[in-house]
Amino acid sequence: MFPIVEFNPNKLKIKTMPYTSNSIPIQGRKYTLTHSDRTGELYLSIGFQYDMSTINKNIRDEFLAEIVLQNNQYFLQGKVYVSGGEFNEQTAKKRYIIFQRELRLAITAIIYGDWGFFFQNPHLLDANIMIYFESDYPSFNQILCYGTPRHYISTFHFQTS
């Protein structure tokens, strides 16, 4: 899970994948966010595809997000993997609680890390952020709203106009 700390931009390492810029793509723009428990660093990859090479398939504590267009409305749609049969319900609950607690940090890292893109596309600052908690336990298999990117930019003092 992501470390329990306030967002520190000096701990964010950003990798922009090929054919990705501050203007393209909009729809289908994907974010892969992972971290190091040892250093507290966050690793953000931005591109047309998820950066599967950065995901630890044994731990599964990554945060994936994508900009989607649905019914003429943009969303930042994210996903965290809580459980799929390999964890008992108590462990799944612990993962669910930790993800809920740490998602604000993860979302802040994405908005900060791709600020040039959001600055170029200010209409996306009001896109709803919907996060899917993927779990085989119904009580943790949920979709929750985490506000809009505009709610997160105040934490890093950028001007939007």
Side-chain angles (χ1 to χ4, degrees):
M1 307 300 147
F2 291 93
I4 306 169
V5 294
E6 292 297 315
F7 177 67
N8 178 350
N10 296 321
K11 294 273 187 172
L12 179 63
K13 308 301 179 211
I14 303 163
K15 177 170 126 180
T16 303
M17 308 294 277
Y19 311 110
T20 304
S21 71
N22 284 342
S23 57
I24 60 162
I26 295 178
Q27 184 177 345
R29 190 179 192 87
K30 292 179 173 53
Y31 302 96
T32 308
L33 187 70
T34 58
H35 74 283
S36 168
D37 284 332
R38 189 175 51 78
T39 65
E41 290 181 316
L42 298 171
Y43 303 98
L44 174 63
S45 297
I46 305 166
F48 280 96
Q49 300 175 1
Y50 294 117
D51 189 355
M52 301 308 282
S53 68
T54 64
I55 296 173
N56 182 329
K57 298 199 181 357
N58 296 321
I59 298 173
R60 293 300 315 267
D61 61 356
E62 73 278 356
F63 175 55
L64 303 176
E66 175 181 6
I67 295 179
V68 297
L69 179 63
Q70 193 171 49
N71 299 325
N72 293 322
Q73 186 175 1
Y74 282 103
F75 293 88
L76 180 60
Q77 182 176 290
K79 180 168 82 169
V80 292
Y81 180 81
V82 177
S83 61
E86 70 278 65
F87 301 118
N88 64 30
E89 189 168 3
Q90 183 177 3
T91 301
K93 180 179 182 179
K94 181 180 177 183
R95 288 174 58 85
Y96 175 78
I97 290 168
I98 292 171
F99 273 127
Q100 278 192 316
R101 182 180 62 215
E102 299 303 327
L103 270 169
R104 296 198 190 291
L105 171 67
I107 294 166
T108 300
I110 286 173
I111 305 304
Y112 181 90
D114 205 13
W115 176 247
F117 171 76
F118 284 96
F119 186 79
Q120 292 283 328
N121 297 282
H123 62 285
L124 294 175
L125 292 174
D126 296 311
N128 284 320
I129 301 170
M130 305 302 293
I131 308 300
Y132 172 41
F133 291 78
E134 182 182 358
S135 178
D136 56 336
Y137 295 101
S139 57
F140 311 128
N141 192 52
Q142 299 183 9
I143 298 174
L144 300 175
C145 183
Y146 275 76
T148 68
R150 189 175 302 283
H151 294 122
Y152 295 85
I153 60 174
S154 64
T155 63
F156 47 84
H157 311 294
F158 278 146
Q159 296 295 322
T160 58
S161 54

